[in-house]
Amino acid sequence: MQNLPRKVRSKKLNSRVDLTAMVSVSFLLIIFFMVVGELSKPKSMGLSLPDKEGGCGESRGCIDSSRLYTILLDENDKIVTYSGLLPYNDEAPKRSEYGRNGIRKEIFIHKKSVDERMISVGKPKNSVIVIIKPTKSSNLKNLIDILDEMKINNIDTYAIVDQFTPEEEKLLASN
């Protein structure tokens, strides 16, 4: 018998591909884009505007003055509060002090009465609006304490204003 040339078979190489590195990179990219997407969302504060309904016209809104509660911060930890607008207010402004039985209780009582009144007129979302007016002689601690009281009493709408009406200046000068 003749020696026939044998066919040389090629060696089969391992055809498996290791995808571990690609999976790791894919997860890293997914996480990166999720974080970038979350951080690029605009952050903004809610803006409470007055109602457009009522007798004040269509173009500008009016706020019921009974919803307003003004806190005047004076020197030596003095607080003067009044509700509504000072020139048209029947009640005398009240002096108060910081703490649980002072301004916190006053804010709670006023908020409760405004909420009950707004529910009775069919506007349960309208709550008290607090205007905080620190004088130049008040200190930063007083302002921070009042802001803490806003958080404790769940006051959603408040503003810090640095301008005083002539009536408020007279009131502070008399105290």
Side-chain angles (χ1 to χ4, degrees), residues 38-122:
E38 188 65 32
L39 293 178
S40 66
K41 289 181 183 175
K43 306 282 190 261
S44 63
M45 291 177 54
L47 179 64
S48 297
L49 296 174
D51 295 336
K52 288 190 176 180
E53 54 193 53
C56 296
E58 290 295 320
S59 63
R60 60 171 244 242
C62 288
I63 297 174
D64 183 9
S65 64
S66 65
R67 290 176 58 199
L68 296 176
Y69 191 65
T70 304
I71 301 173
L72 304 173
L73 305 177
D74 204 4
E75 61 185 349
N76 299 328
D77 299 338
K78 293 180 185 174
I79 302 174
V80 179
T81 63
Y82 64 90
S83 46
L85 300 172
L86 190 57
Y88 309 107
N89 197 352
D90 295 335
E91 295 179 25
K94 296 180 184 176
R95 295 181 122 234
S96 187
E97 50 190 48
Y98 293 95
R100 172 178 282 173
N101 294 325
I103 191 68
R104 185 178 305 168
K105 188 174 181 180
E106 294 291 325
I107 294 170
F108 176 77
I109 290 169
H110 190 74
K111 181 181 188 298
K112 186 176 178 184
S113 69
V114 168
D115 288 347
E116 288 172 356
R117 189 171 41 250
M118 289 296 123
I119 288 172
S120 69
V121 295

Side-chain angles (χ1 to χ4, degrees), residues 70-73 82 131-135 159 161 163-165 168:
T70 304
I71 301 173
L72 304 173
L73 305 177
Y82 64 90
I131 302 171
I132 303 167
K133 294 187 175 187
T135 62
V161 180
Q163 296 176 347
F164 294 89
T165 64
E168 290 170 340

